Each structure stands twice: as structure tokens, then as C-alpha cells.
Amino acid sequence: NLHHPMMNFRPPSSASSVPISPAEFTQAGTQWMAGLWHVTHSTLPMWKSNRNVTITYTLIPGHPDTFDNLVEYQPLSSDKHKNVAGIEKPDAKVAAAWNWRGKGWLMIASSHWELLGWGEEDGGWMVTFFEKTLFTPAGIDICTRQKVGLTDETLQSIRDQIKSILSSSSSFSKLAEEMFEVKRDIS
């Protein structure tokens, strides 16, 4: 039974009155973050009625730490593919955080999200926190490189870390309990 050492986590900047020192949280490089991720667990209500949710981060040449972002998903009751495209620029005040703005008709939509934790276990994973918007409540996603997701042990360690970092904030502590598994077609 492997024991995961203290995972690399931090609380959301809006939940912490004390700034996180760089020594306490090691940022993932944007090269590491680039590529396809599967959303395996979330608190976002819209993912309850959808499946096969992925996010692809593509670095924009000449714009350091800026991503094109493509979220793709399918409704539970249909084979139709849907997507939401946006651009993410680094937050000037918070490390490992980005400000997203939709493209096209979604240009009016924007959000702030932060990388709360990440690791190499089970092919790679990351935990993101997104602030409340006009369209969505504040929430958390667990994303993995592999569509099958994480081993039960790694998932439990991540869940424990999420509970730990959110426990000091009454407004965020309930998020750890609201997390559900996002449906994926594993073939």
C-alpha cells in the first residue's frame, strides 16, 4: 500500500488571508499543462448532465503563459459533441492563475481560475478552482491525462488534500463534499 507524500497543494487565493509563499507551492510549468485533460471529478452542476468532458490547453506562440482553451463534452442523452472556446491570460496578481474569456458569442463570459494542486501520479493530474461567474457557481475540477482517471488511492489522497486546504474557509469547505465523478465512456 503506497503512501503519497505531502502532495503539492495550496488553497484558492480568495480563501486565504495569508499569501502562499513560493516555497510552499511549486507551480506546474505551462508546457506541462499544455495538451488534453479529462475532467474526471467536478463540483460544476452542468457536468452532471454531460459526459466525456475534456479541456485542451494550447500555448499561444509569442504570448508567455497564455492558452487557447477548448472545452469539449457530450450530453448524456446524445452523441452530439459540444464545445466552448476561450483564451486564458495569466493573472498579474496570483501565481498559477488565469483569467478566461470566451470567444465568439461567449466573449461576454469571463472567469478566474487557479491551479490548486498537481502531480505526476497515474500519468498526471491537476486540481483547478474556478471562481463564481454569472453562469456558474465557484467550484473545483480534478483533471487527468488518462481518460480512465486515477487509482482509488491517488484519488483519495487528492480528495483528502482538497478537504484539508478548503477546511479553513467556510465558504469553500462544502465544495469538497459536493464533488462527483463526471461520466466518461471508457472503451
Side-chain angles (χ1 to χ4, degrees), residues 105-181:
W105 65 274
L106 270 178
M107 194 178 245
I108 59 158
S110 65
S111 70
H112 172 84
W113 70 274
E114 300 176 18
L115 182 66
L116 297 188
W118 65 279
E120 300 286 354
E121 294 88 353
D122 302 339
W125 58 268
M126 66 179 172
V127 175
T128 58
F129 167 79
F130 39 92
E131 300 223 342
K132 180 180 185 292
T133 71
L134 286 172
F135 308 104
T136 61
I140 291 177
D141 285 340
I142 298 176
C143 302
T144 64
R145 289 288 189 189
Q146 298 179 37
K147 189 175 188 178
V148 294
L150 302 165
T151 62
D152 290 344
E153 184 185 7
T154 302
L155 179 60
Q156 190 57 54
S157 294
I158 291 170
R159 283 179 173 271
D160 291 346
Q161 287 291 320
I162 291 170
K163 284 180 188 163
S164 172
I165 63 171
L166 296 179
S167 63
S168 61
S169 167
S170 60
S171 57
F172 294 123
S173 60
K174 67 178 175 20
L175 288 176
E177 304 304 321
E178 293 173 0
M179 191 168 297
F180 59 89
E181 186 167 2

Side-chain angles (χ1 to χ4, degrees), residues 55-110:
I55 304 172
T56 303
Y57 298 100
T58 305
L59 283 165
I60 300 175
H63 298 274
D65 303 333
T66 301
F67 293 106
D68 263 327
N69 168 304
L70 182 64
V71 177
E72 298 176 283
Y73 59 97
Q74 292 177 278
L76 289 178
S77 58
S78 140
D79 287 331
K80 186 176 180 179
H81 289 262
K82 298 185 173 192
N83 67 66
V84 176
I87 188 167
E88 298 177 328
K89 296 181 178 176
D91 187 295
K93 297 183 190 93
V94 181
W98 286 264
N99 294 307
W100 177 90
R101 178 157 306 274
K103 290 183 174 180
W105 65 274
L106 270 178
M107 194 178 245
I108 59 158
S110 65

